[in-house]
Amino acid sequence: MRIIWIYLNLIFWTLLFGLSSFFTILITGNKKNFKFFAIVWGRTLSFIFNVKLKIKGRDRLLDTNYIFAANHASLIDIPLLLVAVNRYTVFIAKHELSKIPIFKSILDKAGFIFVNRENNDSAIKSMNYLIEDIKKIPRSVGIFPEGTRTKDGNLLEFKKGTAIFGIDTKIPIVPIAISGSYNWSQKKIFDLSKSVITFEFSEPIITENLAYDDRDRLTEQIKASIEQKKID
């Protein structure tokens, strides 16, 4: 029952702020306006779901673009991450979302890309497009290296795509440990207590001088950094 309530809220508020973002960008031609609506979206959901967001280590970041690599445990991770990073940030979205016309239009307009993990050639083409588009319109990128949400709160195997993307773009990678998100997802329907979800930023990992052969070591470095700071 609780999951239905969560999905209904996610769909309603995502459509409301997503369409607001879509038409604002359409009128102004400025994709960076997505940041405002993304942050309001995240704050609205945190209020509705009675979540207190704690942010640690964000002062380590400079006024530049990053690849934010975080663990993934619940449906609220994306909206809260957009609040936590507090900058124009897009995600690499699952190809399945592109089959929903309204969501495809909203995410396309904001500067997201869709990746088909079942088609390697298509995935590479999509990533190459994003790399070139970032040069024209700089933005940060959020990625969940596990590829899906954990089902038990433990970290899953990290895929190498985040490391490869960082090496290809030369954009620094910032590991983010999300704690409390899995516990929030497991709450009972009548549990109205406030949940605390913490986003802890690690030092940016410089990728400028790394090569493709460094992808395994970089993937492990990202995972180890998150493991060290994740507290549940």
Side-chain angles (χ1 to χ4, degrees), residues 58-118:
R58 192 171 65 189
D59 56 345
R60 295 186 170 101
L61 306 184
L62 302 176
D63 186 19
T64 188
N65 292 307
Y66 294 100
I67 296 169
F68 295 108
N71 55 299
H72 194 16
S74 79
L75 293 166
I76 203 172
D77 291 342
I78 291 177
L80 290 188
L81 190 145
L82 290 169
V83 176
V85 301
N86 192 32
R87 59 188 69 205
Y88 175 33
T89 303
V90 300
F91 281 84
I92 296 173
K94 294 180 180 180
H95 175 69
E96 289 77 10
L97 286 176
S98 68
K99 298 177 182 178
I100 308 173
I102 191 166
F103 282 108
K104 183 180 188 304
S105 299
I106 290 170
L107 297 180
D108 268 341
K109 188 63 69 177
F112 287 57
I113 65 158
F114 300 94
V115 173
N116 186 351
R117 297 171 188 167
E118 305 301 321

Side-chain angles (χ1 to χ4, degrees), residues 54-62 66 68 84 87 174-176 198-204 229:
K54 292 183 67 175
I55 301 170
K56 298 181 179 180
R58 192 171 65 189
D59 56 345
R60 295 186 170 101
L61 306 184
L62 302 176
Y66 294 100
F68 295 108
R87 59 188 69 205
V174 179
I176 301 177
T198 303
F199 283 65
E200 185 163 0
F201 293 74
S202 294
E203 290 285 348
K229 297 187 182 313

Side-chain angles (χ1 to χ4, degrees), residues 171-202:
I171 298 174
I173 298 173
V174 179
I176 301 177
I178 303 177
S179 302
S181 177
Y182 177 75
N183 289 339
W184 172 82
S185 72
Q186 300 301 303
K187 289 177 69 172
K188 304 299 183 183
I189 186 170
F190 296 113
D191 185 349
L192 302 179
S193 62
K194 185 177 289 293
S195 297
V196 177
I197 299 180
T198 303
F199 283 65
E200 185 163 0
F201 293 74
S202 294

Side-chain angles (χ1 to χ4, degrees), residues 199-218:
F199 283 65
E200 185 163 0
F201 293 74
S202 294
E203 290 285 348
I205 301 171
I206 306 303
T207 60
E208 192 173 4
N209 297 317
L210 299 182
Y212 185 73
D213 289 343
D214 296 310
R215 64 192 185 282
D216 291 330
R217 179 184 61 79
L218 180 55

Side-chain angles (χ1 to χ4, degrees), residues 177 202 223-231:
S202 294
K223 184 175 183 180
S225 180
I226 291 174
E227 279 181 323
Q228 184 180 16
K229 297 187 182 313
K230 185 173 175 292
I231 56 177

